[in-house]
Structures are given as structure tokens and as C-alpha cells.
Amino acid sequence: MTENDSPADRAFRAEVRDWLEANLSGEFAHARGLGGPGREHEAFEERLAWERHMAAAGWTCVGWPEEYGGRGATVEQQVIFHEEYALADGPARVNHIGENLLGPTIIAFGTDEQRARFLPPIVAVEELWCQGYSEPGAGSDLANVQTRAELRGGHWAVDGQKVWTSLALESDWCFVVCRTEPGSARHRGLSYLLVPMKQDGVDIRPIVQLTGTSEFNEVFFDGARTDAGNIVGAPGDGWKIAMATLGFERGVATLGQQVGFRREFEGVAELARRTGAIDDPLLRDRLTRSYMGLEIMRLNAVRTMAGIAAGAPGPESSISKLVWSTWHRELGELAMDVLGAAGLVADGAPYDLNDWQRLFLFSRSDTIYAGSNEIQRNIIAERVLGLPREPAASREARR
Ligand SMILES: Cc1cc2nc3c(=O)[nH]c(=O)nc-3n(C[C@H](O)[C@H](O)[C@H](O)COP(=O)(O)OP(=O)(O)OC[C@H]3O[C@@H](n4cnc5c(N)ncnc54)[C@H](O)[C@@H]3O)c2cc1C
């Protein structure tokens, strides 16, 4: 990877590597490798402390402009940062949603007051965020959102239910897509509100996932309050803002995750060498294809994302989401096939999964969240390739 770095990028890589080497030691030495997909609850407090330590040294929000507390890192440098972070076995980040989804949305669409109020605590990892989009009747068909909010004096009152809300229990704030124009339908009349989570009107109920952990939750809003000014974009303009956040979620935000894939792939290859599965020509072929997929993804990700780095990404970010999620799900299947029958047995009671079983189970969700593969294909077909739209009945059933 290093051989393609420009001199400036090589210096940046050395700076990141030296800092991580010096700091993932002492009190943080044990933080290496903690957390990750299906292990979001692991050592949360320690990972929070580590991320605040990173913040104090200026290593959070590296891709944000300097005026908002970032480092103004280029896409290439962000890749380098994530590569070195993965190589150093840095713990899974706790403020991914604030740093990669809400922050860029406020930078692009928020007011100066909102930037001043909300960005510094994200950079400092003092406030954590969750994403309040999905509802029991609104997933792929997000325009069917029924949660509503109305202005009462100086605040919004929010009522309704969200579901699958990742990290809601740990979060201080939620960006909520809700209906603010009574009688409105579909994507009209929606707004994008910023709602504090630690208040009486918010009830959070964890949902147990395939991995046995509960990263996501049901969230019930019952007269939850937020200040009238905590709305991004104009009232009724929430669809546009919500789509922009999804563009960030499907785009550069996935870089960190994607570079961790290389470590996972190498782990599966090592497992195949150890168990002798590598001598099976079919598994060997799949390992080779997986490796090629990894390389293609890396090259494509940098190219596509460099092209959309300025401003909010467009529908092209769906290509990257479709490719990495499918690749990762297949890696989970490959890991199970390399393990063979041993993969069917948990290491201990009641549900003590090893890394490969967890990878297999959690990666089933990759092709669902942030818009399922079918939805990404619809977006690519209609909005990137300009193919004919879906029949009217399902036309708006897209995220
Ligand atoms: C691990 C995980 C974390 C998540 N975290 C969050 C979060 O933090 N915040 C949040 O708001 N949401 C979150 N979600 C929810 C996620 O965004 C939704 O699950 C997703 O959008 C799909 O919606 P749904 O589950 O309602 O499925 P449905 O929309 O009911 O879809 C069911 C099936 O029908 C297919 N389908 C639907 N419409 C079409 C169509 N028009 N054309 C072709 N096929 C179609 C889908 O692809 C899918 O296979 C999370 C989900 C998961 C799995």
C-alpha cells in the first residue's frame, strides 16, 4: 500500500503510525482489537476513553475541514488513516454515526449556530449520536415515515416509534426523520430534527440480534421535546437532508470499515492454511476471488470517493455500498465453509461465538442496513444508469 503514497502522504502515514504505536500502549494497550461488528457492547467505556484520547490529540474527524475541528485530510489520507488504524489493531470506534453521518450533514446543510453547537462535541467525542429513520412500516419505503412532530411554543414535540436504531442506548442525541406537516404524504412534509435522547419522553428497548448482542433498539417518542431551532434544513425539507445523510453513510463513512476487511480476509486465509482447507481447490478458488474483490474494492472506493469528496455524495455511493456489503457477506460464508462442521458448534454455553461465527452472522445485516442490496440496485439502475423507473406502485419505495 505504501509504495503508491505521494511524499506528503508518506509523511502523513508515518505520523499516524508513530502516534498509534506510541499511544496504543500503557493504559490503552489492552484496548487493541476491542469491539467491532456484533461486539459493539464490548468494553464500551474503555473504547470511549480511547476515542476521547484520540480527540485530545486531534485524531477524530480527520476528513472534516479544519475550520470545524477536523484535519482537512484528503480521501487518500483518510484511507491511510484507516489502514494504519486497522494495522495497529485499534479498537472499534464509538462515535461513527456522529463523525461520519450527522457531522458531514450539519457541515453541508446546517446553520452556523448548529455547526457551533453540535460539531465540537462530536470532534471531542463528548456527545454520541444515533440515526432515527426506520420505523415498523418504513424501512426501504422510508417515505412512509409516520413519526410526527409539532411546534409547541419554543419547542418541537415528537411522537412515534423508530426501530433498528443502532446504539440508541449509548447515544445522547438522535437525528429523527419525522412528519411535521399534518396531512402530508410520502416524502413531502418531512423534517430532520435533532432530538436529545436522555429525557422522559424517550423510551429505548434493546432488540436481540443474531449475534446474541443488542446493538440496535426500538425507540418510542412520547411527547419528546427538542428546541425549535434543532431542525436541519427548512420544515418540510427533511427528505432532501435525509438522503444526503444516506449518501455520506454509503460513501466515505465506510472507508474505515472496509480497510478492516483486509485483516478479516487475512484471518480467513490463515485459518484455511491451518485447517488444510486451502488444499481444497474450490475453497482455494473462492479465497482467490475474495482477495481480488478486496483489491478491486479498494481501488474503486478511492476513485469513486475522491470524485464525490466535495459536497454531499450522490447516488454513485450506492455502487460502493452494494459491492462491499456483498463481498463482506460472502467472506462470512467462506469463513464458515473453511471451518466446516466445527463452525456449527459454539465455543461455550450459552452462545459463546468465535470471531468467524460472529463475522458470518453479523455480515448478514450488511446487505440490509443503510438500504438493502435490492434498493441499491434500484438506485443505480434509475439514478446512475438512467434506466426506466419501477412501476408507479413501488416507485417511491426506495431509500
Ligand atoms: C444491523 C442493522 C442496523 C441498523 N441500524 C439502523 C439505524 O441505526 N437507524 C435506522 O433508522 N435504521 C437502521 N437499520 C434499518 C435498515 O435501514 C432497514 O432494515 C433497511 O432499510 C430495510 O428496511 P426493512 O428492514 O424495513 O425491510 P423492508 O423494507 O421491509 O424490506 C424487506 C425486503 O424487501 C425488499 N424490498 C423492499 N422494497 C423493495 C423494492 N422497491 N424493490 C425491490 N426489493 C424491495 C428489501 O430489499 C428486503 O429484502 C438497521 C438495520 C440493520 C440490519
Side-chain angles (χ1 to χ4, degrees), residues 131 133-134 139-140 164 166 368-369 372 374 378 390 397 399:
Q131 177 180 29
Y133 280 27
S134 305
S140 304
W164 321 127
S166 299
I368 300 172
Y369 67 79
S372 69
E374 291 76 17
N378 280 350
E390 275 192 279
R399 282 188 59 173

Side-chain angles (χ1 to χ4, degrees), residues 174-191:
C174 183
F175 44 99
V176 179
V177 178
C178 54
R179 205 161 284 289
T180 48
E181 287 176 18
S184 64
R186 309 302 300 161
H187 55 275
R188 292 175 204 85
L190 296 172
S191 295

